[in-house]
Amino acid sequence: MSERASRNWLVLAAALCVALALAGQALGDSVVPEASGAETDRAIGRAASSYLTGIRSYAAAALWNRLDPVMHGYYTAVSLSDQKYMLSTIAAVQALDPHAVMSYPVGSWILVESERVSDGILMARRGVEANPKSGVLKMNLAQLLMLYGDDMPGALEVAEAGLADDIVWTDAAEQYNSYAIFGSIFKAGGRTDLYDYVQAEIERIDAEAGD
């Protein structure tokens, strides 16, 4: 999607947000006519916030759903450095919905492959900050820090944090693949204890998948 098209989506989303916020205010006025001014304001604020969050998430999903099939279809054989056209859309997706998890690995790898290493790592960090329980985003940041950031201590710290019990994985395959990358980081960083741990976990996940 072109940068102009992305801007058009954002303008549309903004217009919808305003319309829904006004509708929320009217609804709040109609359902709480006896409430005090402060109570009405709070009710309207809650309704408007809910509407705005929902429409932003919807707009982000609409943008990503237009982009993802193109990336995995027509441009499958195209190198990431030649897919910079996606960056404006990815930035729009993240601005609308910071919890659009998969936009961060895609965007950060396009940036580093385009020799914008600091920008790529910054995007990966923003992803982790916005989604601190996401295992795949911790894996992404740790891998970039090791491969491109020349920061093995940082990579080890992030990778170890990715082993916590409260980390969220989309499915077993995502955890399996991420643990394999964590393992390579621990091995390179001399953390044989953590390397042995993830190897045991990989075997466990593999065995459970076989069952």
Side-chain angles (χ1 to χ4, degrees), residues 27-172:
L27 177 63
D29 289 340
S30 67
V31 299
V32 289
E34 304 301 325
S36 69
E39 291 172 342
T40 300
D41 288 345
R42 284 194 292 270
I44 291 171
R46 289 192 296 269
S49 177
S50 178
Y51 281 126
L52 291 172
T53 298
I55 196 61
R56 285 197 301 266
S57 297
Y58 176 82
L63 284 171
W64 184 254
N65 288 339
R66 288 170 62 89
L67 183 67
D68 191 57
V70 175
M71 179 180 64
H72 288 102
Y74 187 76
Y75 287 106
T76 299
V78 179
S79 67
L80 286 173
S81 61
D82 292 327
Q83 297 192 49
K84 292 188 288 290
Y85 72 93
M86 294 196 294
L87 287 172
S88 59
T89 303
I90 288 171
V93 168
Q94 293 172 2
L96 288 164
D97 183 7
H99 306 301
V101 168
M102 292 314 299
S103 68
Y104 294 98
V106 174
S108 59
W109 276 90
I110 292 174
L111 287 166
V112 298
E113 289 289 322
S114 302
E115 300 183 354
R116 294 174 58 184
V117 173
S118 60
D119 289 335
I121 292 176
L122 178 60
M123 180 178 288
R125 288 191 187 280
R126 287 203 306 267
V128 171
E129 289 169 0
N131 305 275
K133 302 303 182 184
S134 171
V136 72
L137 292 186
K138 288 188 184 297
M139 177 275 291
N140 181 60
L141 176 58
Q143 188 175 35
L144 290 179
L145 289 173
M146 181 181 73
L147 295 178
Y148 292 91
D150 192 26
D151 184 4
M152 181 57 75
L156 288 170
E157 180 180 357
V158 174
E160 184 172 3
L163 305 179
D165 292 337
D166 60 349
I167 293 299
V168 176
W169 303 98
T170 301
D171 51 35

